[in-house]
């Protein structure tokens, strides 16, 4: 364990030695009521890269000047705009270019993936997911089960924490998979749990699922741009994620999909299709008979939402410059420092308020986020720090979720957070 210190000098020294310190300047940090915020909700909506405006302006200009001709005449032709994102997002999620495509929204893409990879037949119809999955995922899974004529309470097996615990043991997931055996059609789990911040061993879960003959996919909303992903090497069948959390690509921005290379040319997989997934060379012949493009592109329904993609491209260019490894290295230091600061405050003030960090302690089992259970003080404490400029996330009954983001948060942010928090406790 590194010897951290609770002092502004120490935090500033860490910032000076941070190889990524210049990147904070490339983002707009919100100033609310005259206070520069400590923005710790990049796990909910990432901040705006200053470069986004230029990327958007280029497309607005192209639209203004070319109208429909922009599909071919724009500097980045809209006809194939999504292709500008492919290599870059592939590097973020550890995929081959043929395995990824950016388009639609996350829940839409999850459904598209499940149309192909949830194929219940006879006795094999069960789904394994984590308990307390993000609500949209729960609804999507329930509706998929119903769509195939099953009762969700029978078809869906939820694996949760053991009694009195907050995290899920991976061995419990693996055991549930083994027990379901031949009855298991699909595993679909959040790669990083949105509530606890727990990062799952996706390789292990994928292998366990494949062993019993099930397809395995992940919702990577809280993982993409946050943790190291090796989707291709892990053999994951499918995945989807959004771009507006750690990927900083505008509210409700475009999503990404991953389909493993081994399915790239499988035209037998059931799928919901649209014209943009059709073979590119014959797409405009507009003839009947769907002929999917190889790889993830074959799951596209619609032509590229260019404005959302332009914002995403601006952000992915930053990710490309920095690289996931450097990002993760800083993320570890930053989140460790935050953990240290919170624990020190908890220790000093435990007669008033004690904090219990429910996120795993081990770096390889978490990303940027820490989920803090507050014992003694709850919503009033949260409201007090919000007033002082901390943007965090509150979940009933008493959990504060915070995520310092390595691209734009600083050690000084962490220190300031601690100062504000302690003052609020003692007020
Ligand atoms: C943020 C998030 C979503 C949101 O889905 P949208 O379709 O983008 O609204 C879904 N699932 C998880 C796990 C999330 O974290």
């Amino acid at each position: 364990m590194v010897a951290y210190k609770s002092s502004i000098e120490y935090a500033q020294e860490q910032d000076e030695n941070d190889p990524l310190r210049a990147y904070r300047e490339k983002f707009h940090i919100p100033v609310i009521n005259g206070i520069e915020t400590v923005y710790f909700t990049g796990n909910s909506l990432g901040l705006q890269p200053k470069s986004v405006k230029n990327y958007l302006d280029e497309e607005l200009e192209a639209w203004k000047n070319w109208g429909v001709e922009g599909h071919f005449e724009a500097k980045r032709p809209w006809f194939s705009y999504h292709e500008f994102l492919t290599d870059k997002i592939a590097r973020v999620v550890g995929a081959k270019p043929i395995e990824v495509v950016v388009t639609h929204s996350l829940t839409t893409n999850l459904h598209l993936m499940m149309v192909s990879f949830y194929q219940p037949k006879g006795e094999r119809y069960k789904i394994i997911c984590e308990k307390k999955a993000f609500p949209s995922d729960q609804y999507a899974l329930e509706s998929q089960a119903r769509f195939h004529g099953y009762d969700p309470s029978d078809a869906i097996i939820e694996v949760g924490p053991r009694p009195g615990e907050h995290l899920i043991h991976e061995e419990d997931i693996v055991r549930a998979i083994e027990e379901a055996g031949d009855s298991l059609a699909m595993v679909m789990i959040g790669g990083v749990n949105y509530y606890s911040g727990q990062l799952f061993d996706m390789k292990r879960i994928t292998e366990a699922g494949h062993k019993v003959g099930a397809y395995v996919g992940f919702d990577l909303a809280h993982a993409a741009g946050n943790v190291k992903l090796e989707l291709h090497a892990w053999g994951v069948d499918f995945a989807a994620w959004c771009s507006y959390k750690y990927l900083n690509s505008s509210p409700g921005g475009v999503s990404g999909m991953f389909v493993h290379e081994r399915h790239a040319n499988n035209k037998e997989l059931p799928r919901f299709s649209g014209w943009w997934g059709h073979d590119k060379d014959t797409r405009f012949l507009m003839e009947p008979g769907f002929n999917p493009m190889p790889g993830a592109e074959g799951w596209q329904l619609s032509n590229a939402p260019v404005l959302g993609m332009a914002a995403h491209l601006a952000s992915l260019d930053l990710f490309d410059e920095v690289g996931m490894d450097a990002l993760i290295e800083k993320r570890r230091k930053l989140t460790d420092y935050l953990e240290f600061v919170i624990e020190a405050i908890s220790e000093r003030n435990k007669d008033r308020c004690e904090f219990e960090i429910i996120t795993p302690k081990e770096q390889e089992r978490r990303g940027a986020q820490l989920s803090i259970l507050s014992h003694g003080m709850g919503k009033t404490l949260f409201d007090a720090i919000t007033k002082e400029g901390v943007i965090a996330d509150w979940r009933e009954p008493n959990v504060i979720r915070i995520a310092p983001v390595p691209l734009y948060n600083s050690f000084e942010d962490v220190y300031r957070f601690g100062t504000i928090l302690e003052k609020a406790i003692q007020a």
Side-chain angles (χ1 to χ4, degrees):
M1 189 73 185
V2 195
Y4 294 109
K5 289 188 200 135
S6 293
S7 75
I8 182 75
E9 293 78 19
Y10 174 81
Q12 286 170 344
E13 187 189 320
Q14 295 304 303
D15 284 330
E16 275 158 34
N17 295 329
D18 168 19
L20 304 187
R21 67 184 174 280
Y23 283 88
R24 181 178 174 88
E25 289 301 308
K26 295 180 192 284
F27 285 83
H28 292 289
I29 313 284
V31 176
I32 300 179
N33 296 329
I35 309 174
E36 183 176 273
T37 54
V38 174
Y39 193 84
F40 278 175
T41 35
N43 55 347
S44 183
L45 180 70
L47 290 180
Q48 182 186 143
K50 290 177 180 167
S51 55
V52 161
K53 197 166 188 313
N54 283 340
Y55 284 67
L56 282 176
D57 279 348
E58 279 180 13
E59 301 317 324
L60 292 174
E61 279 298 301
W63 183 17
K64 184 170 98 187
N65 296 328
W66 291 103
V68 72
E69 300 299 326
H71 280 103
F72 299 98
E73 301 297 341
K75 181 177 128 197
R76 297 189 188 90
W78 305 331
F79 175 76
S80 46
Y81 198 95
H82 65 278
E83 292 174 12
F84 296 112
L85 301 147
T86 302
D87 289 6
K88 298 173 198 289
I89 196 68
R91 285 190 276 276
V92 171
V93 298
K96 295 190 175 183
I98 194 168
E99 295 174 318
V100 289
V101 70
V102 168
T103 193
H104 317 139
S105 63
L106 171 54
T107 308
T108 309
N109 283 342
L110 283 175
H111 274 300
L112 291 176
M113 293 288 93
M114 289 194 277
V115 163
S116 296
F117 295 102
Y118 179 52
Q119 300 176 38
K121 242 186 241 102
E123 291 300 300
R124 191 186 283 281
Y125 64 93
K126 302 256 182 182
I127 298 170
I128 283 183
C129 68
E130 83 272 39
K131 206 180 178 92
K132 262 195 168 181
F134 192 86
S136 201
D137 299 35
Q138 293 180 35
Y139 308 149
L141 288 169
E142 285 170 18
S143 64
Q144 285 285 335
R146 276 204 199 90
F147 180 71
H148 289 280
Y150 299 97
D151 174 358
S153 66
D154 171 43
I156 300 174
I157 302 167
E158 292 183 340
V159 183
R162 295 178 188 172
E165 297 186 6
H166 299 289
L167 303 173
I168 303 174
H169 291 255
E170 261 137 20
E171 65 214 60
D172 291 354
I173 299 177
V174 170
R175 188 172 320 115
I177 291 171
E178 288 166 358
E179 280 171 14
D182 289 345
S183 73
L184 189 64
M186 178 181 75
V187 179
M188 215 291 283
I189 289 180
V192 173
N193 182 267
Y194 83 99
Y195 182 78
S196 67
Q198 179 177 9
L199 163 63
F200 292 106
D201 184 340
M202 290 178 249
K203 180 167 183 273
R204 185 174 171 197
I205 293 170
T206 302
E207 284 167 3
H210 286 170
K211 226 165 159 183
V212 301
Y215 285 122
V216 182
F218 295 95
D219 181 333
L220 301 176
H222 280 262
N226 177 25
V227 298
K228 184 81 177 162
L229 296 170
E230 293 287 352
L231 298 181
H232 174 80
W234 297 340
V236 171
D237 292 295
F238 69 92
W241 55 90
C242 57
S243 67
Y244 51 81
K245 291 174 179 165
Y246 292 97
L247 292 173
N248 315 318
S249 301
S250 81
V254 280
S255 157
M257 279 186 276
F258 168 92
V259 179
H260 198 276
E261 191 180 30
R262 78 177 89 89
H263 307 299
N265 293 301
N266 185 353
K267 296 184 183 179
E268 305 304 313
L269 279 173
R271 68 177 103 188
F272 285 170
S273 357
W275 72 322
W276 229 251
H278 186 86
D279 171 46
K280 198 158 115 177
D281 295 330
T282 57
R283 186 185 294 150
F284 281 89
L285 297 178
M286 309 289 206
E287 287 184 341
F290 179 71
N291 181 24
M293 294 176 73
E297 288 191 328
W299 272 265
Q300 297 174 102
L301 300 178
S302 306
N303 73 98
V306 168
L307 296 182
M309 285 191 181
H312 196 21
L313 185 59
S315 178
L316 286 180
D317 279 343
L318 293 177
F319 275 83
D320 241 9
E321 259 177 51
V322 175
M324 283 309 295
D325 290 338
L327 209 62
I328 286 166
E329 199 183 317
K330 176 170 172 193
R331 187 210 77 208
R332 290 181 164 190
K333 290 182 188 156
L334 210 53
T335 299
D336 278 5
Y337 186 47
L338 179 62
E339 182 179 35
F340 162 81
V341 166
I342 292 167
E343 284 179 346
I345 290 172
S346 183
E347 182 59 34
R348 281 197 294 270
N349 299 279
K350 62 178 170 225
D351 49 330
R352 284 165 188 256
C353 181
E354 243 183 299
F355 297 123
E356 178 187 355
I357 297 174
I358 63 174
T359 308
K361 279 210 143 302
E362 308 90 323
Q363 288 174 333
E364 55 286 355
R365 295 181 65 212
R366 73 182 185 198
Q369 175 182 326
L370 293 181
S371 304
I372 310 162
L373 257 177
S374 171
H375 300 288
M377 292 171 99
K379 190 73 186 353
T380 46
L381 182 65
F382 179 80
D383 291 341
I385 64 173
T386 305
K387 235 172 107 196
E388 295 301 315
V390 172
I391 309 291
D393 176 89
W394 173 260
R395 294 282 143 151
E396 294 296 338
N398 58 343
V399 169
I400 300 172
R401 297 187 310 157
I402 43 179
V405 170
L407 263 179
Y408 50 76
N409 282 126
S410 62
F411 290 85
E412 193 172 334
D413 279 340
V414 173
Y415 178 79
R416 256 187 79 203
F417 169 80
T419 315
I420 293 169
L421 183 66
E422 189 155 27
K423 230 163 124 190
I425 294 171
Q426 294 173 352

